[in-house]
Amino acid sequence: MKGSEGLLSTARSAGVEVCFANPGTTEMPLVEAFDTIPGIRTVLGLSEGVVTGAADGYARMTGVPAMTLLHLGPGLANGIANLHNARRARTPLLNVVGEHASWHQHADPPLASDIESLARPVSGWVGRTSSPASASADFVEAWRAARTGQLPATLIAASDHMWAQGGVTAEIPAAEPVPAVDAQQVSAVAKALSADKRPALLMGGSALTAEGLRTAARIAHDHGGEVFAEGSPARLERGPDIPGVRSLPYFPEARQKTLDDFSDLVLVGTSRPVSFFGYPGMPSMPIPSTMRVHTLATPEQDPLDGLQQLAEISGSAATKLPATEPKQVRPPEGALGASAVAAAIVLSQPESAIVVNEGVSSSAAYPKLASAAPAHTELTLTGGAIGIGIPMATGAALACPDRPVIDFQADGSALYTLQGLWTQARENLDVTTVVCANRRYRILESELARSGVEQPGAAATGMTSLDGPAPDWTALAAGFGVSAVRATTGQELLDALRQAHSEPGPHLVEAVLTE
Amino acid sequence: MKGSEGLLSTARSAGVEVCFANPGTTEMPLVEAFDTIPGIRTVLGLSEGVVTGAADGYARMTGVPAMTLLHLGPGLANGIANLHNARRARTPLLNVVGEHASWHQHADPPLASDIESLARPVSGWVGRTSSPASASADFVEAWRAARTGQLPATLIAASDHMWAQGGVTAEIPAAEPVPAVDAQQVSAVAKALSADKRPALLMGGSALTAEGLRTAARIAHDHGGEVFAEGSPARLERGPDIPGVRSLPYFPEARQKTLDDFSDLVLVGTSRPVSFFGYPGMPSMPIPSTMRVHTLATPEQDPLDGLQQLAEISGSAATKLPATEPKQVRPPEGALGASAVAAAIVLSQPESAIVVNEGVSSSAAYPKLASAAPAHTELTLTGGAIGIGIPMATGAALACPDRPVIDFQADGSALYTLQGLWTQARENLDVTTVVCANRRYRILESELARSGVEQPGAAATGMTSLDGPAPDWTALAAGFGVSAVRATTGQELLDALRQAHSEPGPHLVEAVLTE
């Protein structure tokens, strides 16, 4: 068989069921092979930001590496921003990037560029095929690297290695277990918390599953502490039967103030919190000066194991948590602001939804109300590279066809990768996109205000506003085949969301924010 | 003044009049400074592919470096594909990429990444500010590098160097002259052509100006040769008073066949032609085996100087060229194919238009008909990274507000950066976008057919077609505030184009191709 066929049959044996793709000429041998080696569904994105963002959403929901197919350096480059988010989310991904025929590269054809240099900043592993047969072994190495390192891996596949005969099917070795937490590490934390402490447990990775949140809540309850989610978690479970979790605030002074109430910070599957940006006079890692920091599990270790061990040592394994009063959310009325949108989403949310949260400034109210919603999974913008919401919702919907997906979406971010709406239409995915149309980069207005610019000048206003003209989201969605309506009041938004959830296929609701 | 103010006042003294931007938090000190140091118009793009593609179009038309402002590694990454095209076009560009505060970088905040690694593949120069005062000197160095090397230069500006006091205005040194062509180089070419030869003059860079084309035509006429444009020229002048130029065909066998008629290949401001892709059994640099190759001017040298010298030595300086019969183009009728679209564009083309050609397979017929159009400038896709048409048209219109801009646009490529339509609306630019809606990546279908796949399977068809649903370009354009109509026949298209040209501001015509 051809090198391309060997690579795809290896991918199939690894369990790859979907490949997110935007191929070009150098990838044609692989494109052909998807028909001769069937079993992998190909999903086209109209630009590579859609491809990589969808792969991230897919892998976050399935837990196994997602595969992409990209066209040379420029194709990879278009997907880098969302690969950056995937790297920060610790998402396993496997990018196959086509490359010129090995003997053609010396000629420096127009589309040639240094693919490794582009790939390295967003990849835990970068490699290159050296023959049709090697391609499969290279795929296995990339797969292992992605799975073990929980990072994107990038395999550069020369087109002659793909089109020539000599391909083989390689075996995928069994997954290596996630490193457990050392018992001494656990006792050190237990000992530190044994005195009269008030710990904050800061959770990331799989600590934010239902099991992790329950165990952490028991420990926190017994120590008079509280459970927090890291700044932008890759994935977080919420529901009536899952103890709630507070989010660490975005701005460093609010973050520090929040932590002032606690004596110790216990890191569970995450690192010491870092300020999103550096501000004059603020430290990079803003925590109270008297706070002691302990690591129960690093991001590379199994936080569930660490929590379980700690609960047993500290006698919290069987702690019965007090019942919590379900939050009451009132239907929003009148003009729309961020709180009204969050309330409308919560009140209309179907069972077992996946909520993609790229609301930026507009979705700040959501985590506070989300405990009133039925059980759901939240996926967030981990790396700050905006434009992941529509793609990630697309990938999550492909991973979980039985679960409704809601994309709580800032308009500025949505404009980066609105092309993903077309893939939602083409694949007939059950995604409801709520575009919070404040028609500005509001987060940047806040940043200007923080730096003392209360009345931005014409240039600054022009670069932070999205009007003149305001994008018409109902037209844009229709242009990509997605049914859309506009809502300007709380009641209209609630009605539109309920209607969208009651119908199959993708929908978009433009929520025009005036507050 | 602040570091940001020093940098911008240096930019202003360099002659920067426009900055194409999509800033974020790390760039806020610069955003503020555009108001305190006025004189530079800021143009917002909704994604960075728009920003860098517009800068390329602007610089191709003005000839001086264009400035961009980008947000950290991910913002730069989104703009890399069009920077790749700019690098291949030899376009001088100066990217200012914001970076975290210098003291915050060690903390590895979520948006941190290796910006240099991302920038190097598309930049002739990469540097980093080291203080508020250095920022201006660094800008000067970047500016010189961009102007002298005719390449993008990337300056990474730490936000604390921008917000702190200590900025200065630095002087921009006079431009260094473009290296002239050595007289010996010219005589060698003259000597080689003195015998009974039939040379093909292959032209790139400023050889494709009116002056270069006239001089080359005289030389070719006297030697029984012909003048060709390199595969994808950055900029090419055409008009009734400018001798026509053939384009070198895209596929290597056609290219070789074309050159079979000639004995010698004279390179004028370009390099030896390289096949766009490597194909089994075809050489990387397909020229006839007996053809001799001479370099009159490298891409770094002044090709006008080389042509002038050669014309004088070979006695062609005063050659009178025979009058050429203007081509007759018949109005297109009935269903639309590539030739009909080209004919409609030519027949409706206003005086002194700038024609951006990203038609890919759909615009192949245009160069053959273009001699019938009024004088115009053509800008093409130099690096093969699709998605430059809409942005480049935007930048060209900003550079030349008195010239109408026509974007001859493939639909697959347009979908990459359709966000640029919004900038056209916001800046009220005189751009007419003609989207050739064949609803497929037709070039990929051709490539599949070349590799022997006449009947692509379901997977290959899914990855090369753009239907199910077909994007509705009239809705997409309206969503961004651009007036749009759909044309399905030659007459409709001609009418729509004439209407668009008669009105100010941006227009889009969706030409639905059925042939």
Side-chain angles (χ1 to χ4, degrees):
Chain A
M1 66 183 143
K2 293 177 181 175
S4 56
E5 295 171 326
L7 190 149
L8 287 191
S9 77
T10 302
R12 217 179 43 179
S13 83
V16 172
E17 292 176 2
V18 174
C19 179
F20 299 90
N22 188 291
T25 298
T26 40
E27 292 69 59
M28 284 301 111
L30 279 157
V31 166
E32 294 171 37
F34 280 107
D35 283 310
T36 58
I37 307 288
I40 298 178
R41 177 179 180 182
T42 52
V43 175
L44 180 63
L46 295 180
S47 69
E48 291 84 355
V50 176
V51 172
T52 54
D56 187 6
Y58 184 87
R60 288 197 205 181
M61 292 312 300
T62 62
V64 293
M67 181 177 170
T68 72
L69 179 61
L70 303 168
H71 181 45
L72 290 157
L76 168 64
N78 287 329
I80 283 175
N82 276 338
L83 290 174
H84 172 88
N85 289 324
R87 175 170 76 93
R88 293 296 182 185
R90 299 184 57 78
T91 301
L93 273 187
L94 198 160
N95 306 305
V96 175
V97 179
E99 167 64 301
H100 286 293
S102 56
W103 46 262
H104 191 49
Q105 292 165 22
H106 76 98
D108 192 29
L111 265 165
S113 64
D114 184 346
I115 303 177
E116 277 91 344
S117 190
L118 296 171
R120 251 181 246 117
V122 288
S123 308
W125 183 97
V126 181
R128 218 171 236 277
T129 60
S130 52
S131 73
S134 94
S136 300
D138 297 332
F139 184 94
V140 172
E141 212 184 318
W143 184 266
R144 283 185 61 167
R147 197 173 51 185
T148 308
Q150 296 285 299
L151 284 169
T154 301
L155 174 61
I156 302 164
S159 57
D160 55 330
H161 301 154
M162 295 293 99
W163 76 51
Q165 294 293 327
V168 293
T169 307
E171 288 289 309
I172 298 281
E176 292 141 51
V178 181
V181 170
D182 186 82
Q184 285 197 312
Q185 201 173 333
V186 181
S187 359
V189 175
K191 200 172 156 191
L193 299 189
S194 60
D196 187 22
K197 301 292 184 187
R198 186 163 154 70
L201 276 68
L202 184 64
M203 318 256 286
S206 57
L208 295 168
T209 54
E211 183 192 341
L213 287 164
R214 286 193 192 107
T215 311
R218 289 190 191 103
I219 296 166
H221 177 263
D222 290 350
H223 290 83
E226 196 171 340
V227 181
F228 288 87
E230 61 181 351
S232 308
R235 179 176 171 168
L236 168 67
E237 300 297 327
R238 283 209 189 85
D241 298 334
I242 303 172
V245 57
R246 252 164 97 183
S247 302
L248 216 51
Y250 176 82
F251 285 115
E253 52 276 30
R255 190 172 276 195
Q256 191 151 333
K257 190 159 181 293
T258 299
L259 292 178
D260 269 344
D261 293 340
F262 302 91
S263 62
D264 292 67
L265 183 66
V266 181
L267 304 174
V268 191
T270 188
S271 305
R272 206 174 150 126
V274 171
S275 177
F276 216 87
F277 292 106
Y279 297 98
M282 290 299 301
S284 281
M285 298 188 176
I287 59 169
S289 57
T290 55
M291 183 167 242
R292 296 199 314 161
V293 182
H294 318 276
T295 298
L296 179 64
T298 68
E300 292 74 29
Q301 294 175 319
D302 181 359
L304 295 178
D305 174 57
L307 285 167
Q308 201 55 51
Q309 287 192 50
L310 181 60
E312 277 163 26
I313 290 184
S314 60
S316 301
T319 295
K320 207 170 150 50
L321 293 169
T324 52
E325 193 72 19
K327 203 170 192 99
Q328 293 300 317
V329 177
R330 285 157 53 131
E333 287 174 2
L336 285 170
S339 305
V341 177
I345 289 179
V346 164
L347 287 170
S348 59
Q349 206 170 306
E351 278 293 332
S352 76
I354 299 165
V355 178
V356 170
N357 186 340
E358 199 188 26
V360 192
S361 64
S362 297
S363 63
Y366 180 75
K368 294 180 196 114
L369 305 182
S371 66
H376 64 279
T377 302
E378 187 180 355
L379 309 178
T380 84
L381 171 60
T382 50
I386 60 172
I388 201 171
I390 294 172
M392 189 153 65
T394 306
L398 282 156
C400 304
D402 298 333
R403 300 181 63 177
V405 178
I406 299 164
D407 176 18
F408 195 157
Q409 184 60 56
D411 56 352
S413 308
L415 287 163
Y416 269 66
T417 45
L418 73 156
Q419 295 91 335
L421 294 172
W422 180 81
T423 303
Q424 293 178 7
R426 192 185 225 202
E427 305 290 336
N428 194 31
L429 303 176
D430 187 10
V431 178
T432 301
T433 305
V434 186
V435 174
C436 300
N438 60 21
R439 297 162 181 172
R440 66 195 66 184
Y441 296 123
R442 183 174 276 162
I443 189 79
L444 298 187
E445 291 183 347
S446 311
E447 296 283 2
L448 281 175
R450 275 176 67 84
S451 72
V453 182
E454 290 294 344
Q455 292 291 335
T461 302
M463 282 187 278
T464 54
S465 75
L466 296 170
D467 51 15
D472 176 347
W473 279 99
T474 60
L476 294 172
F480 284 128
V482 170
S483 165
V485 294
R486 181 174 296 123
T488 55
T489 66
Q491 191 55 50
E492 280 176 14
L493 179 58
L494 203 49
D495 291 347
L497 287 173
R498 287 184 172 139
Q499 182 69 27
H501 294 317
S502 73
E503 295 168 354
H507 293 78
L508 183 141
V509 181
E510 178 179 5
V512 180
L513 269 58
T514 50
E515 286 182 7
Chain B
M1 64 183 143
K2 293 179 181 174
S4 57
E5 294 170 326
L7 191 148
L8 288 192
S9 77
T10 302
R12 217 180 43 179
S13 83
V16 171
E17 293 176 1
V18 175
C19 179
F20 299 91
N22 188 291
T25 298
T26 40
E27 292 70 57
M28 283 304 110
L30 279 157
V31 166
E32 294 172 36
F34 281 107
D35 283 309
T36 56
I37 308 288
I40 299 178
R41 176 179 181 183
T42 52
V43 176
L44 179 64
L46 296 179
S47 69
E48 290 84 355
V50 175
V51 172
T52 55
D56 187 6
Y58 184 88
R60 288 196 205 182
M61 293 312 301
T62 60
V64 292
M67 180 177 171
T68 72
L69 179 61
L70 304 168
H71 180 45
L72 290 158
L76 168 64
N78 287 330
I80 283 176
N82 278 337
L83 290 174
H84 171 89
N85 290 323
R87 175 170 76 95
R88 293 296 182 185
R90 298 184 59 78
T91 302
L93 273 187
L94 198 160
N95 306 305
V96 175
V97 179
E99 167 64 300
H100 286 291
S102 56
W103 46 263
H104 191 49
Q105 293 165 21
H106 76 98
D108 192 30
L111 265 165
S113 63
D114 183 346
I115 303 178
E116 276 91 343
S117 190
L118 295 171
R120 252 181 244 115
V122 288
S123 308
W125 183 96
V126 181
R128 216 172 239 275
T129 60
S130 53
S131 72
S134 94
S136 298
D138 297 332
F139 185 94
V140 172
E141 212 185 317
W143 183 265
R144 283 184 61 167
R147 196 174 53 185
T148 308
Q150 296 285 299
L151 283 169
T154 302
L155 173 60
I156 302 164
S159 57
D160 56 329
H161 301 156
M162 295 293 100
W163 78 51
Q165 293 294 328
V168 294
T169 306
E171 286 290 310
I172 298 282
E176 292 140 52
V178 181
V181 170
D182 186 84
Q184 285 197 314
Q185 201 175 332
V186 180
S187 352
V189 175
K191 199 172 160 194
L193 299 188
S194 61
D196 187 20
K197 301 293 184 186
R198 186 163 154 70
L201 277 69
L202 185 64
M203 317 256 284
S206 57
L208 296 169
T209 54
E211 182 193 343
L213 287 163
R214 287 192 191 106
T215 312
R218 291 189 188 102
I219 296 167
H221 178 263
D222 289 349
H223 290 83
E226 195 170 341
V227 181
F228 289 87
E230 61 181 353
S232 308
R235 179 176 172 168
L236 169 66
E237 300 297 326
R238 284 210 188 84
D241 298 333
I242 303 172
V245 57
R246 253 165 96 183
S247 302
L248 216 52
Y250 176 82
F251 285 115
E253 52 275 30
R255 189 171 275 196
Q256 191 151 333
K257 190 158 180 291
T258 299
L259 293 177
D260 269 344
D261 293 341
F262 302 91
S263 63
D264 293 67
L265 183 67
V266 180
L267 303 175
V268 192
T270 187
S271 304
R272 204 174 152 127
V274 171
S275 176
F276 216 88
F277 292 106
Y279 297 99
M282 291 300 300
S284 281
M285 298 187 176
I287 60 169
S289 57
T290 56
M291 182 166 243
R292 296 197 317 160
V293 181
H294 318 277
T295 298
L296 179 64
T298 67
E300 291 74 30
Q301 293 174 319
D302 180 0
L304 296 178
D305 173 58
L307 285 167
Q308 202 53 50
Q309 288 192 49
L310 181 59
E312 277 162 24
I313 291 183
S314 60
S316 301
T319 295
K320 207 171 145 54
L321 292 170
T324 51
E325 192 71 20
K327 203 169 193 101
Q328 293 302 316
V329 177
R330 286 160 48 135
E333 287 175 359
L336 285 171
S339 305
V341 177
I345 289 179
V346 165
L347 289 170
S348 59
Q349 206 167 307
E351 278 294 332
S352 77
I354 299 165
V355 178
V356 170
N357 186 340
E358 198 187 27
V360 193
S361 65
S362 298
S363 63
Y366 180 75
K368 295 180 194 111
L369 306 182
S371 65
H376 64 278
T377 303
E378 187 180 355
L379 309 179
T380 84
L381 171 60
T382 49
I386 61 173
I388 200 170
I390 293 172
M392 189 154 65
T394 306
L398 282 156
C400 305
D402 297 332
R403 299 181 63 177
V405 178
I406 299 164
D407 176 18
F408 194 158
Q409 184 60 56
D411 55 352
S413 308
L415 287 164
Y416 269 66
T417 44
L418 72 155
Q419 295 91 336
L421 294 172
W422 180 81
T423 303
Q424 293 178 7
R426 191 185 226 203
E427 305 291 336
N428 195 29
L429 302 176
D430 187 10
V431 179
T432 301
T433 305
V434 187
V435 174
C436 300
N438 60 22
R439 297 162 181 172
R440 64 196 67 184
Y441 296 123
R442 184 174 276 162
I443 189 79
L444 297 187
E445 291 183 347
S446 310
E447 296 283 2
L448 281 175
R450 276 176 67 84
S451 72
V453 181
E454 289 295 346
Q455 292 290 335
T461 303
M463 281 186 280
T464 54
S465 75
L466 296 170
D467 51 16
D472 176 346
W473 280 97
T474 59
L476 294 172
F480 284 127
V482 170
S483 163
V485 295
R486 182 174 294 122
T488 57
T489 67
Q491 193 54 50
E492 280 176 13
L493 180 57
L494 203 48
D495 291 347
L497 288 172
R498 287 182 172 141
Q499 183 67 27
H501 293 318
S502 72
E503 295 168 354
H507 292 79
L508 183 143
V509 182
E510 178 179 5
V512 180
L513 271 58
T514 50
E515 284 181 8

